[in-house]
């Protein structure tokens, strides 16, 4: 049984984050079902473990996305309309490091805050360089009590895959 658990753990470590919850839940369910001789207990524990792991992965991905968004918003706040700058985020864990270019398109004021609209590109720092055009995205950043922050919720945008 221990060899089976080690094999499942190795597979889980080598798979994408999206499969980690399912594999971890299956391993926990099999182990607890075998230990208790009750398949219902194994299923319940497996489902609970899968839900917990899936939510943890989503929370980690949201944190990484928020770091990117905060970096871009802070740059946008410093920039003038028409100005273009490179941006980069290197996370504390060596995963999902991104870079790109941001251009402030316009500045405007609302009754609540000063805001700027910007176009930006995103690419993986560790990816092989390519001559393909970088896709551009548009966002709005507004100045608040804690500085410039991302002002658009975009859960339907494929770029933020883990947030959907």
């Amino acid at each position: 049984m221990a060899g089976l658990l080690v094999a499942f753990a190795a597979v889980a470590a080598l798979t994408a984050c999206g499969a980690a919850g399912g594999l971890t839940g299956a391993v926990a369910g099999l182990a607890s079902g075998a230990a208790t001789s009750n398949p219902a207990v194994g299923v319940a524990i497996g489902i609970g473990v899968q839900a917990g792991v899936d939510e943890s992965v989503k929370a980690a991905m949201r944190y990484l996305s928020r770091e990117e968004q905060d970096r871009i918003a802070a740059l946008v706040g410093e920039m003038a309309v028409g100005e273009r700058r490179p941006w980069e985020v290197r996370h504390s864990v060596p995963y999902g490091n991104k870079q790109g270019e941001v251009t402030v398109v316009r500045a405007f004021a609302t009754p609540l805050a000063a805001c700027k609209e910007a176009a930006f590109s995103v690419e993986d720092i560790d990816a092989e360089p390519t001559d393909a055009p970088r896709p551009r995205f548009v966002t709005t950043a507004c100045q608040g009590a804690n500085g410039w922050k991302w002002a658009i919720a975009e859960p339907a945008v494929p770029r933020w895959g883990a947030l959907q």
Side-chain angles (χ1 to χ4, degrees):
M1 185 65 168
L4 181 63
L5 292 176
V6 170
F8 272 119
V11 170
L14 297 174
T15 60
C17 292
L23 288 172
T24 307
V27 169
L30 285 171
S32 58
T36 63
S37 300
N38 187 339
V41 169
V43 169
I45 290 173
I47 290 171
V49 168
Q50 178 181 358
V53 170
D54 285 346
E55 191 55 38
S56 296
V57 168
K58 287 180 183 178
M61 297 308 290
R62 282 192 303 267
Y63 176 80
L64 296 178
S65 293
R66 186 172 47 252
E67 281 188 329
E68 293 172 26
Q69 293 170 350
D70 286 347
R71 179 66 184 134
I72 292 170
L75 270 174
V76 166
E78 298 171 2
M79 297 167 59
V81 174
E83 188 176 352
R84 180 180 301 192
R85 288 189 194 174
W87 69 273
E88 180 179 302
V89 171
R90 292 195 181 264
H91 302 290
S92 56
V93 292
Y95 176 80
N97 295 325
K98 305 287 186 199
Q99 66 185 6
E101 187 176 79
V102 62
T103 304
V104 174
V105 178
R106 71 182 181 118
F108 59 96
T110 71
L112 299 175
C115 299
K116 295 180 183 179
E117 191 173 67
F120 66 98
S121 64
V122 179
E123 62 187 54
D124 191 342
I125 289 177
D126 301 321
E128 289 291 322
T130 178
D131 291 334
R134 292 185 253 174
R136 291 284 205 182
F137 304 93
V138 176
T139 192
T140 301
C142 294
Q143 187 176 27
N146 297 327
W148 287 83
K149 292 290 184 185
W150 201 263
I152 294 181
E154 51 181 336
V157 176
R159 178 180 131 49
W160 306 113
L163 294 177
Q164 297 188 50

